[in-house]
Amino acid sequence: MSIIIDEVTLENFKSYGDATTIDLGNGVTAILGDNGSGKSTIQEGVGYALFDTHPFRNQDRLVRDGENSGHVEVTFTNRETGETYTVRRWAGRSKYDVLDSNGDNLGLDTGSDVKDWICNQLGIDNPDDLSEAWERSVGVPQTDFLSDFTKSEKERIDTFDPLFDIERYREAYKSLSGLEDEFEDDIDELEEEITRLEAKLEELPEVQAEVEEQEQAVEELEQKLQSLNEEIEELEEEEEALEDLKERLRDAKQDLESLEETKIPAQRDALEKAKERREEAKEAQEIIEAVEDDYQRHEDAQDRLDELEEDREERNHVEDQLSDVGSQIDRLKDQINRHKADLRGVREARETVEELEPKKKRYESLKEEISDLEDDNERIEEIEERLEEIDDEIGGLEEEANEIDAEIEDAEAKREQAERLSDLQDERQDLLARKQTLKNEKEELCAQNQELRDLDLDEESEVSCPTCDRPVTPDHREKVVERNETRIEEITEEEIPEVGGKLEQIEEEIESAQAAKEAVNQIPRLEDKLDDIKEEIDDLREEQQQLRDERNDLEDEVEELPEKRDELEGLEGVVDDYHTAKATVKSADDVPAELRATRDELGEKRVEYRDLQEELAEYDGLDDDIDHVKEVIDETEDAHTKYVKKEDEAAKLPDRRQEVEDEQEKLEVLKSERDDVEDRVESLQDEFDAEQLNEVQEELDGLNTQDAKTEQKLDDAQGDLEEAREQLDELEEQQERKQDLEDEIVELKRDQEFARWARNSLQQGAEDLRDLITSEIGDRANAIFQQLRGNPTETLVWDKTYNLRVRVRGQNKPFDTLSGGEKMAAALSVRLAILEQLASLGVAFLDEPTANLDQQKKQNLVNQLDDLDQLNQLMVVSHDRTFESMTERTIELEKDEDREVTRVVSE
């Protein structure tokens, strides 16, 4: 799946400050600029956003100095779907955003989700392969461009095998190691289990015969038990009928006994009690008739007394009203006297208010003046506190300014050391390359010596020397080996230690230079901060002078405060008298109206008092009438009591007579019922035979005993049958298990044979695939190399160990011995051939591909890049102006030295 990168935006990312957008297009794009101008940062930004890789151990180093965070945005179009997306990744904090062409966020929650989505867009299977695809193919870092080919054989295989998926063959071969033995162990275990099962299955025929025998016995017992149950059922029906007759006879005898001994005697007692109650009611009726006249006189007198008591309550209410109105008249008289006294006090209070009014106004004016002066006093205290704070702040700022001055002076002293950083890094790179070259030369010499020692020098065959292709003789071999040993000793004991010592020294100098550069980079920020501090000190001094002037003015005014306070204190008593008199005047505003209202109310109450006296006169003689009625009630009280006491009983006389008749009728019914029960007992005694019942029960007991024994035998037989069946089921399962195991052994042997074949195939397949890939890429790389070099006599060879060398007229020149231009041409040829082979993404970056190439070879490289039809988009990062007129699109960058930021000069 291929993509086109439309644009890259960087903000606070390494040397980029404000958001800077670089538009990229199809074909070859040259990104040009001097060293340190930020060219490679565009390549690193794409690698960081899309391929999860960056050149530092800590991603915080991607953030521009002085900033908290930065980010890079890569906008690309998927050539298959036509969809455009933007991936934004932040540096300094772990965060991704993925936006569609409308600017809507896709809502991918985690970095893992984003990487899975990117793999899907780029056609890469595993997120772990993103960085490998970038560093070995799409965007090979400048530091690895040559060094990958100077590594040892094992390191080269570990580097390039994953790129061509050959690593999967090796991993698969390792994973199959020991699988054949595992299959063999599984087969042995299964065969042992089959042997154990065969021993158990010898019991199968005997268990099958036992099951058949037990099934026959169970069937016979079940038939016998069924016959017994039928016979028992017939006897139980006969027993049930006899028991029913016995129960009915017993119930009839109990009914007869209950009637004769309980119910009939009880009914005779009830009849006698009803007759007694009838006589009591008859006697009560006679007493009521004798006292009825006196009872009626008592009732009439009681009604009259109730009426008179109501009149007395009304009279008492009138008396209470009369007393209340009299009290109100006395209260109103007192209130009129108080109002008259209040009017006299009000006249005196008005005179006092008029007299004290001027002093009261002076008092209020003094309070306002004193309040203003007290506010001024508090303001003076605030000014004093602020002046002390300003002194402290100015002292702290001056101290900080001195520290910054010292820091700037120290940083300026390190500027020369910081400017050497780039040279030191180049020197370190050269030393590392030299050290790797020496190691590879040593390995090559050791391999040559081992190869020479392993040669079989007989007289009949002629062997060519691996170093010079001349025939090898014992003397020649000895000289070459001795020469190689001498060279190995020189490399081991002199040259490598010497290079290592220089590397350690360079590393220390680089570390110091990096620290110096960081200090120098801080100078503009420190100078800005120093200016801010000085400006802040000037502002504080101006504020300080303004506060002092304000304090002096306020202190002149506050001197009058004690005198005014004394005057205020002397007027406080006068003001209290004023407010008291004022309150008196205000409270008496309604006194005249209240006096008139009180007088009117007094006249109304006097009229009401006279009306109540007239109403009370209507109740004269009431007490005598009440006494007369009470005498009548006392005379008739005994007769009234007798009448009330016997009235209810006399009213029951008709009911008592009916009750006697009902009880007599119930007695006759019980007597008739007794005669019927006697007849029923006699009939049942003739029908029931107790001896027959005993015979049926004895026979039934015998059959039940026989039935229980038969059931026990059946349970025992069924238990034996169940055990035999379980044993048979277990043996049959084991027989099925034996067959399954035999089938499984057949499958395991088939799998074992396939694993053996697959492992051998993978081992050979990895070698064959590597040989095929390096052959195809090597041929294409040789064609590119010869075009770049312009020399068809030079042949570039890339063998199946990824070893790169140049053959000239039959002589092999190892990669480490090539000149700088030859190394770049050889490495570049292989990189371009790999890009053609693995061009599924359609995008690639080349970082400084013209290093050590002369002008003709640079032109050849441009021509070669035009022939890379498999790549839709190629970005060449270089400081070489050769590409400016030879590529379809050019982007030129430069670094603003004053602001230390990268900017786009032209596109």
Side-chain angles (χ1 to χ4, degrees), residues 351-482:
E351 295 173 356
T352 302
V353 168
E354 292 174 358
E355 180 184 353
L356 298 178
E357 181 72 29
K359 295 181 179 180
K360 181 257 183 185
K361 289 182 179 179
R362 174 58 181 163
Y363 178 84
E364 291 177 349
S365 175
L366 281 171
K367 281 183 67 176
E368 291 178 1
E369 292 174 10
I370 289 171
S371 176
D372 292 340
L373 291 173
E374 287 175 343
D375 291 342
D376 292 342
N377 213 13
E378 291 178 2
R379 176 57 182 160
I380 291 172
E381 294 176 358
E382 292 174 0
I383 290 172
E384 293 290 351
E385 292 177 0
R386 178 56 185 154
L387 286 172
E388 291 179 3
E389 292 175 358
I390 290 174
D391 287 338
D392 294 340
E393 290 178 17
I394 290 175
L397 290 171
E398 289 176 341
E399 183 178 350
E400 186 177 358
N402 293 334
E403 292 175 355
I404 292 174
D405 276 331
E407 194 172 347
I408 292 173
E409 184 178 351
D410 182 61
E412 288 291 352
K414 296 178 180 178
R415 185 179 294 277
E416 184 178 351
Q417 184 182 11
E419 291 173 351
R420 293 190 61 241
L421 178 60
S422 178
D423 295 337
L424 289 170
Q425 289 174 333
D426 293 341
E427 188 176 348
R428 176 180 62 182
Q429 190 62 37
D430 293 340
L431 287 171
L432 288 171
R434 175 58 181 161
K435 186 176 182 180
Q436 186 62 47
T437 300
L438 290 172
K439 288 182 178 180
N440 294 339
E441 182 182 354
K442 178 182 175 181
E443 291 178 2
E444 188 72 25
L445 292 172
C446 290
Q448 289 178 3
N449 282 356
Q450 187 61 44
E451 186 177 355
L452 287 168
R453 291 190 181 101
D454 293 342
L455 291 177
D456 185 11
L457 302 179
D458 54 33
E459 297 179 355
E460 298 180 358
S461 61
E462 185 176 298
V463 180
S464 297
C465 177
T467 63
C468 60
D469 290 336
R470 290 185 294 176
V472 179
T473 65
D475 289 341
H476 177 77
R477 175 170 62 181
E478 184 176 350
K479 289 179 181 179
V480 173
V481 169
E482 184 178 354

Side-chain angles (χ1 to χ4, degrees), residues 674-779:
R674 179 189 59 188
D675 296 338
D676 293 340
V677 172
E678 286 177 346
D679 295 340
R680 182 153 51 90
V681 167
E682 185 177 352
S683 172
L684 289 170
Q685 284 176 338
D686 294 339
E687 188 176 352
F688 175 69
D689 187 349
E691 186 175 343
Q692 181 184 1
L693 176 61
N694 291 334
E695 290 175 357
V696 169
Q697 288 176 338
E698 288 176 0
E699 185 177 358
L700 189 59
D701 290 341
L703 289 174
N704 283 331
T705 301
Q706 188 176 356
D707 181 76
K709 291 178 179 179
T710 303
E711 276 192 352
Q712 184 60 46
K713 289 180 180 179
L714 179 59
D715 289 343
D716 294 342
Q718 287 175 335
D720 295 339
L721 176 60
E722 186 64 26
E723 290 179 3
R725 283 177 174 168
E726 289 177 359
Q727 187 177 2
L728 179 61
D729 291 343
E730 183 179 353
L731 289 171
E732 288 176 346
E733 288 177 1
Q734 291 174 347
Q735 190 174 34
E736 292 178 1
R737 172 63 177 160
K738 175 176 173 290
Q739 184 60 48
D740 292 342
L741 292 174
E742 290 172 347
D743 295 342
E744 189 173 351
I745 287 174
V746 172
E747 290 295 327
L748 284 173
K749 287 182 177 180
R750 190 178 297 122
D751 293 343
Q752 183 184 35
E753 185 61 30
F754 176 77
R756 186 181 296 114
W757 171 84
R759 191 161 184 266
N760 293 336
S761 299
L762 286 170
Q763 184 178 21
Q764 185 59 41
E767 298 293 333
D768 293 344
L769 181 58
R770 188 185 302 118
D771 193 13
L772 176 63
I773 290 173
T774 54
S775 175
E776 291 182 0
I777 294 177
D779 290 344

Side-chain angles (χ1 to χ4, degrees), residues 626-650:
I626 291 174
D627 293 339
H628 174 69
V629 171
K630 285 183 177 180
E631 289 176 0
V632 173
I633 290 173
D634 290 339
E635 291 174 3
T636 58
E637 184 65 35
D638 290 341
H640 183 271
T641 300
K642 289 180 181 180
Y643 186 94
V644 172
K645 185 176 180 180
K646 296 296 183 178
E647 183 179 15
D648 291 340
E649 186 64 32

